[in-house]
Amino acid sequence: LLRPDTARVIPAAGGSQDQAAAGGRSEGNSGAAETAEVPAASAAEPSAQETAALTGDDPAAAARVLSELRARAFERGSVQLLGWVNAPGSAAEAADLEQVRALEERGERLDGLDIEVFRADAVAVPSGAKARVAVSAALSEWEQVRSDGSAAAAPGGPVRQEVLLELERTGQQWRITAVLPAAASLQERTDAER
């Protein structure tokens, strides 16, 4: 799952990337073999096809959709849409909410932000309720804009990343609990081989 703040921290309108980076965070993310389904008509909910993937048995398919929903939440500056992505109370939720709320409070969004998921492979399924998915994806170019469409910060360039998503079923759907560097999956294999 790619994160816009991996390429650069989202600055406040009128602020610089350097100023924002001083208080920002960086997480690796990546995508999967396919992109998610077409966006829902409602800006605050996934489509029926996306919901089916989120509630299905395949954590890799869910990871693809979660990556797309997260990008859409940042693109629209939607805290409501982000509510479908991260497990309640998780570090992933806290980090994303902080960034999206900052955009929302300033009346800004990340225009043109999109994600292409190249690959998503379940690397560990410890139980029916938890899974780890290796994801390879790329973020598109995007521009941080105000509600009137004017630029609020320098555009973000395309970024490709590899990450390991920790997913957990909360209620009836998969959600993200953590985004780890891709090397975390290598460590798990090494430990299992011993």
Side-chain angles (χ1 to χ4, degrees):
L1 172 55
L2 287 170
R3 296 185 180 266
D5 54 325
T6 301
R8 72 173 170 88
V9 176
I10 302 166
S16 72
Q17 284 184 263
D18 294 335
Q19 290 168 332
R25 65 179 173 80
S26 176
E27 290 188 31
N29 298 340
S30 56
E34 304 168 14
T35 57
E37 305 302 324
V38 175
S42 167
E45 295 184 8
S47 70
Q49 289 177 325
E50 290 169 331
T51 301
L54 295 176
T55 59
D57 293 331
D58 183 359
R64 289 182 188 100
V65 171
L66 290 165
S67 298
E68 178 65 28
L69 291 175
R70 185 183 178 283
R72 199 177 321 146
F74 272 88
E75 197 273 339
R76 296 177 181 172
S78 172
V79 170
Q80 279 186 301
L81 188 55
L82 195 58
W84 287 86
V85 176
N86 299 310
S90 68
E93 178 190 51
D96 281 354
L97 281 175
E98 179 181 351
Q99 293 290 324
V100 172
R101 282 183 179 145
L103 286 170
E104 190 175 61
E105 287 170 9
R106 295 189 306 257
E108 297 172 358
R109 59 188 176 78
L110 304 182
D111 189 44
L113 180 67
D114 196 11
I115 189 167
E116 181 178 358
V117 179
F118 301 114
R119 183 182 51 86
D121 299 311
V123 295
V125 183
S127 73
K130 294 184 179 187
R132 282 186 160 194
V133 180
V135 179
S136 175
L139 283 177
S140 65
E141 292 183 14
W142 50 274
E143 185 176 9
Q144 188 170 333
V145 297
R146 297 178 184 92
S147 58
D148 66 3
S150 63
V159 177
R160 183 166 177 164
Q161 292 181 321
E162 310 286 325
V163 296
L164 183 67
L165 296 181
E166 287 191 343
L167 304 182
E168 184 174 346
R169 278 198 179 275
T170 59
Q172 297 298 314
Q173 79 163 67
W174 291 103
R175 293 189 189 199
I176 299 168
T177 58
V179 180
L180 306 171
S185 65
L186 296 175
Q187 180 65 38
E188 184 174 291
R189 289 182 196 150
T190 302
D191 292 345
E193 292 171 359
R194 292 183 192 166

